[in-house]
Amino acid sequence: MADSGKLLSQLADRISYLIDIKGSSAWINLKELQDRVQGLRHSLFEIKEADLYNEIDRIEDRVSFMEDRVAKKLSPAEIVNIVRSVQRFTLIDILENVYDSYTELGGEGECNLDPAVVVARATISRRVKNKLYSHQVMVIGHEKGRGEEYRNGGCAKPWGNDKALRYMMVAETEGIPIHFFIFTPGSYPVEDYPGAAQQIARNIYVMARLRVPMVSFISEGGSGGAEAIGLSDFRLMGSRGYYSVISPEGAAAIEGKIREGEKVPKDLIEHCATQLKITASDNLKLGTIDRIVEEPPLGAKREDYAFFRRLRYEMLRATDEIVLKTKNFRAFRAYALRRQTEEGKNVPEDFDVAISWNLTELEIDRLLELRSKKYREMGKDFFLKKSKGLAQRFRRAKDLASRGYYELRYGLLRPHHRNVQKVIEEVSSEGSVFFKKVTEPVRAAYDFVFPQPKRPAKVVSSEGSDRRSIFAEEWEPYLSPLANEDRTVTCPNASKYGCMDLWVPDLYGEFCGVCPNCGHHFPLEYQWYLKNLFDKDSVREFNNHIASSNPLGFRGFDARLRRDIRRTGRMSSIITFDARVFGIRLVVAMLFSNFRGGTVGAAEGEKFVRACDIAKTTRRPFLAYVHTTGGIRIQEGTLGVVQMPKCTLAVREYIESGGLYIVVYDNNSYAGPVASFLGCSLYQFGIRSSRIGFAGPRVIRETTGRNVPPGYHSAKNALRRGHIQGIWDRREFRKNLYDALMTMGGHNLYYR
Amino acid sequence: MGINLNDLLRHYRSHIFEDYQVETPHTGVISYKVQDGQTVEGPSGEWLQRPGTLLYIIEREKNVKKMYTSWNGQVTGIRPDLEGHFVEAGEVVLSIRHRLDKNEIIDRILTQVLNILRAPQQARYFLSSDISAKLGKHPECRIAIEPGDEIVIMSLMKRDTAISYKEASGVLYKVYFRSGDIVEQGSPLLGICPSDRLQYVQEVVQRIRTDWENM
Amino acid sequence: MSKERVLIANRGEIAIRIMQACKDLGLDYVVVYTKEDESSLHVRLAQERGGFKRAYRISNYKDPNEIFSVADQAKCTAIHPGYGFFSENFGFARRATMRTRPLTFIGPRWEVIRDLGSKINTKRLAKKLKVPVIPGSDELIYNEMEAEEVAEELFFLQKEQGVQHPSVLVKASAGGGGMGIEEVSRLDVFRMVYRKIQNYAKRQFGDEGVLIEQCLRDYQHLEVQLLCSSHDEVVHFGTRNCTIQSSGRQKRLEVAPGFDPAVCEYPFDAEGVLDQIVRYSVRMARHVGYDSIGTWEWIVCRDGSPYLMEVNTRIQVENEISARISRIKGGTEPTNLIKEQIKVAFGDRLGFTQKDVSFEGTSIELRIVAEDTNRGFAPWCGTITRFDYPEEPWARLYSHVPRDIPYKIPTEYDPNLALAIIWGQDSEQAKERARQFQKGTVIEGKGAKGEDIITNLDYLYDRINDILQF
């Protein structure tokens, strides 16, 4: 006979789990059942044993019946509740049950740089024909703990993510695969060094080209926090997990324009959870994950050993597949086919083959190539392509042609180029007239093939008239529409610095939106930069036909999108173009505020990636000017989130090919983009009075309970924390950009 | 060095209110947002980031400015004749009857205990860059002052003159003016507590704290 | 002229002179003042005039919003900026004319103020018109090596000319009044100074452009007074000599005409040089379409070569000495240039040509300032208890200091007390009368610590001898 106390406590757990899922005990008669169990536990020894067991059986029946009912119709919001239940398995359970042995690195419970991030060296094994083969892996993941406060619910602090990064690099050194386990509602949004956004960006940047196979498993994938350890070659997701751009509550607060402190209506949260497409099957459809790991209908709990067995199998299999794909395609196909026939069956007891996870250098290169391809494909089907006209085809033809030209010029001829250069330098350094005569014609022919990059002559440039003033069009600059009003405004620093009220036509005209007294920068529309930052008439936009859409069918979003398209005359929040600054040609991606607050979705990501690639093929410096970005567009759900790794990957490839990537933040730059493809730039600058960060003051307050002082996200503080490399005055933007291009680009400007 | 603390406390108890006049910062058309007798609150929040009660608005050159109170207290002396009219700069539009709190009483009594540096002339005064940098980083820190240290800059007729401290060395205890303000001749600028009197001053502060509650 | 109402956006004696000019022209006027200036005579005079509210208290003379706010409230139609403050601020002039309730800015068109307000622009324009300018760069220089090259050449040129201690000036593009200018007498320190000025310019004006010029020594500072109208009329009112300046390059004694070969020896043809700078000034004024009163400032070296320094697009403090020695159409009354400035601002024609302007005698201006000339012209402040000066038909004194009550000099502004304008049949007589006037002037007062007032009266007396001397 089973111990009745134990049975009752199990029942109590099952009931409270149902209450967790339903969000309240008011559903049907959960409350009553709970009371009944409680009552039995109190009067355990006063009731006759037979009656007791009868009662337990009856309750058991009820509970099972209700579990079936709940499982049959699980709403996305209920899945979120499953994920957040204290009864759900955590990383420690995985380490205990999926891996054979493990050693936690850099942490012991609370004694830990960040207890929310757990790293372990572990072994995972498989049986092949009764022989045991084991593999070494690095396990990195979030630990939600069992309600301990120090685990912080799996919210990694910036230094926790830094710890994760360090061990990723250890794995790279050792050449062992990494298994990531994502159990996070989101990152802890503080700016303290190394900074939430900047650290995530660094992680993604490194993961983009980490030279080991990586598999990630998502249980709770909370946006940016998930991406910090989420970029991998194979993405698994628990069938009762969720992966989302934002918590349903957060989305509801934004959608419902709920003010701070007010309660967010439950049905709005339900609605958002549904709209955001956060479940495993949704994500599989969107292509943001590769495979689902089946859990029990109500989700796996701590003691679901069958699930852990399955997870072990899936982790092995995913790693195998990554490895095999790098070896040769036929081997992989054979492997995959064999597995496919087994699909749907229970997890097999043993594997047919033992596959070594060691890769050769060549295979690693192939691994990176596949990774790049994988992410570049993500979200590709989820933006619109408008007006496929002649112009576009022409553009394509031109792209192809120019690629050929540039490849010829920089690819094939490059080694030769260097040699010739060297010879000529050696010869001409002799400096004698005799040598000069000999070398002159040679040089002339050489210059014809390799024209010198055109740079304004630095010394005695009496014709350098475009340097006469910072704004070349000295007295008649572009007139901001803001300037058309006869009124004055007060500088926000007036009480501190005694600034006088500013006449609007002066402020937005000649003063370039800058208070002449204290230097405060008032926001200016993005068109101002198009006109004032670049050489006159040098801006040539491209990929204008790529348009934002509503890929998730988010209710009510179509109308908002249409409105912004009508209002701005643009199809997305990013403008990509070629331009010149004092004669230097560069490629620019500009995120601007008027279109959905400069948020990034599939279309924006694609345009960004293409701009990167154009900069790469044309060997030009690449500037990301962020007029404003409000983060990832929540209405595109995880399709938006995957733009973070996608764009970072493209940027990384551009930088590694020798490109110079400069990011300049203006106005407000927050969240996902900063935590990825912007924050990863080696050179980031802030325009004065701009704000840069991960999450705004309200989100920080709500998630950490901490009040942040005014100016917390200011460019000055970002500089102080080391997040940016400098602060630029808008009036000197053009000149600073030129200087930056010249000094950081150096002699071989943007290509090594 | 003795002061009759009881007398002083009694004095402040009977003069517990201070009237602050609110002047228009510049010309413009004003419109009141408070009434006589209304209670107003000064700035609040951890960093005083939330402004106080809105007193009135003033519009000049199509710029409507909100003017908030810097003190808590009661509004008096509203001038209904000004409502909706153009007023000149520096016009007194109302007063705030402010009840001194314990810390303000302490500040006032300390002027009789500390070495007070007073403004030698009516002029603009600035803290020396050294001191203002230190205070900027740690507003609560006690900066050691030695005789001969240049502690205040007097800006008069567009010329800056450094004023140095002449009395016994001590610590900067209190700054009575805002850097860049015009200060009347004879008004206190800084309060410096000589090292040997530090304990005494702390005792005085402690006594005021307790006595003020108990009296 | 219809009933115009002029807002006088200035203080001190110039406010009073403009008030007087308006009164003479039959125009209404309104003045502004700050709390510190409450007892200034310009306030009292306006208040006493009555009729309507004529004096408005503002927070700051430098706040354009205050000026426009009062202008609208007092129903003004025009603004006279005087000198200093907004007189050469093209933004202010532009705002006056472009706002929804436009006001006539009594001064040149704002475009002219803007173009001639930039030293480099003026220099470029002068070069184009073949008007001589100080040797040096005629563009802003941003590049160190380029700058060094220019400096090197200037040193070389000076050596060639046999200049004893050659040196160059490094100037911030938008500097002025002695700020952002530094002299370099050795090429090896040039780079350091250049960087210093470049940083200063960047900090101060947001543009790190720098000018490099030969540092001229041993020169006279001359001015050409022009009056132009919007009907393409250009008339000059001769020249002035403003060489006598305080250590801070502040003028203290001025005299018209600029040279007087009758009493002084000049190592060059003085009349010829004066003609030359007048011709050049008129040529530039015509070219830019100058349409108000203005002054062309010149440097004349010992060899008699003139160089254009800058153009002041405003009425100047010392305008009256030129007015005092000129007659229009042989009239008996001296000219009043402020009145003429106001008239042309409202679009009037001059009503006379150059042929109608004749000159008579010499006029000297003494600027009486409370300052310690023995201690670097340090300003003095305190209370004036007595201020007496001789009443003479050949002398005029302008002051905002009330004589019937003690007057406390406001510490916020320069302690200028008065301007004395002396006239004489010839230079000798003018100088003699200036001395006489100085002797008869009594200023008494006490400082904050009870010390006696310090003024520059003795300094002025001593320098009267130096007038017109090269």
Side-chain angles (χ1 to χ4, degrees), chain B residues 3-61:
Chain B
I3 51 160
N4 191 335
L5 211 49
N6 288 339
D7 281 358
L8 281 169
L9 284 173
R10 207 166 300 128
H11 167 80
Y12 281 113
R13 198 160 292 281
S14 53
H15 297 86
I16 186 80
F17 289 107
E18 186 118 328
D19 281 327
Y20 289 104
Q21 295 192 325
V22 176
E23 292 181 359
T24 50
H26 53 65
T27 62
V29 174
I30 78 154
S31 172
Y32 285 106
K33 295 288 156 193
V34 287
Q35 286 158 357
D36 265 339
Q38 188 173 330
T39 305
V40 291
E41 295 294 330
S44 59
E46 199 175 336
W47 300 275
L48 293 181
Q49 76 274 31
R50 272 190 294 279
T53 310
L54 178 61
L55 293 177
Y56 65 98
I57 54 173
I58 182 162
E59 181 177 353
R60 180 186 66 171
E61 288 289 279

Side-chain angles (χ1 to χ4, degrees), chain A residues 458-462 467-470 474-476 486 488 500-503 506 510 732 735, chain C residues 60 62-65 90 94-95 99-100 114-115 121 124 139 142-143 145-146 149 202 206 208:
Chain A
K458 275 227 140 181
V459 186
V460 202
S461 63
S462 41
R467 297 274 285 149
R468 200 173 289 141
S469 152
I470 288 165
E474 238 168 313
W475 300 123
E476 303 303 335
D486 176 21
T488 60
M500 288 178 207
D501 286 4
L502 296 155
W503 192 46
D506 281 342
E510 211 178 288
E732 286 171 31
K735 197 180 145 293
Chain C
N60 184 349
K62 289 180 189 159
D63 187 344
N65 308 296
F90 78 87
R94 183 174 59 187
R95 179 166 164 191
R99 61 207 296 273
T100 36
R114 182 190 66 191
D115 293 348
N121 244 347
R124 248 185 271 159
E139 292 192 321
Y142 292 91
N143 178 297
M145 296 180 54
E146 198 181 332
E149 209 149 306
K202 188 176 176 182
E208 55 180 39

Side-chain angles (χ1 to χ4, degrees), chain B residues 127-136 143-145 149-151 153:
Chain B
L127 280 173
S128 78
S129 55
D130 201 30
I131 292 181
S132 72
K134 278 182 192 159
L135 286 178
I143 299 166
I145 309 276
D149 285 356
E150 293 183 347
I151 48 179
I153 313 276

Side-chain angles (χ1 to χ4, degrees), chain A residues 305-506:
Chain A
Y305 300 108
F307 169 71
F308 294 133
R309 222 158 64 82
R310 178 178 290 277
L311 184 57
R312 171 205 295 249
Y313 167 72
E314 292 287 0
M315 293 306 289
L316 284 165
R317 184 177 152 201
T319 319
D320 279 353
E321 287 182 18
I322 298 168
V323 168
L324 284 171
K325 269 191 198 163
T326 69
K327 293 193 185 287
N328 78 52
F329 200 62
R330 222 179 301 153
F332 164 71
R333 280 270 291 276
Y335 177 89
L337 271 175
R338 196 160 42 234
R339 289 287 156 223
Q340 216 159 42
T341 55
E342 291 162 4
E343 204 74 54
K345 277 198 280 175
N346 282 336
V347 176
E349 282 305 315
D350 44 352
F351 278 73
D352 307 333
V353 282
I355 292 163
S356 160
W357 290 351
N358 293 329
L359 297 179
T360 64
E361 284 302 303
L362 222 67
E363 285 159 356
I364 292 171
D365 288 342
R366 176 115 178 90
L367 172 76
L368 299 186
E369 226 171 88
L370 288 167
R371 191 183 299 160
S372 164
K373 212 172 135 207
K374 170 187 173 71
Y375 277 93
R376 279 165 178 275
E377 287 303 315
M378 276 194 196
K380 266 216 156 155
D381 301 329
F382 299 97
F383 51 81
L384 302 175
K385 296 177 200 73
K386 301 252 161 126
S387 75
K388 272 195 185 166
L390 194 66
Q392 197 206 330
R393 248 178 285 154
F394 177 70
R395 171 100 215 174
R396 250 189 79 144
K398 216 174 115 201
D399 278 356
L400 282 175
S402 70
R403 186 168 308 157
Y405 165 75
Y406 285 107
E407 265 167 19
L408 197 71
R409 187 164 149 196
Y410 298 109
L412 286 176
L413 292 180
R414 236 165 103 207
H416 181 59
H417 176 147
R418 283 217 181 121
N419 285 339
V420 174
Q421 181 108 43
K422 207 164 162 233
V423 169
I424 290 180
E425 267 167 14
E426 276 167 7
V427 172
S428 16
S429 66
E430 300 287 319
S432 84
V433 181
F434 173 75
F435 268 107
K436 207 176 172 194
K437 256 191 189 150
V438 176
T439 54
E440 202 110 67
V442 180
R443 210 180 230 297
Y446 171 82
D447 284 347
F448 179 73
V449 186
F450 304 104
Q452 292 292 309
K454 275 205 188 89
R455 308 196 312 186
K458 275 227 140 181
V459 186
V460 202
S461 63
S462 41
E463 296 91 9
S465 53
D466 52 350
R467 297 274 285 149
R468 200 173 289 141
S469 152
I470 288 165
F471 295 109
E473 304 81 358
E474 238 168 313
W475 300 123
E476 303 303 335
Y478 154 82
L479 190 69
S480 166
L482 293 169
N484 271 331
E485 247 181 306
D486 176 21
R487 66 183 180 93
T488 60
V489 290
T490 309
C491 173
N493 295 332
S495 59
K496 205 162 156 201
Y497 299 112
C499 313
M500 288 178 207
D501 286 4
L502 296 155
W503 192 46
V504 161
D506 281 342

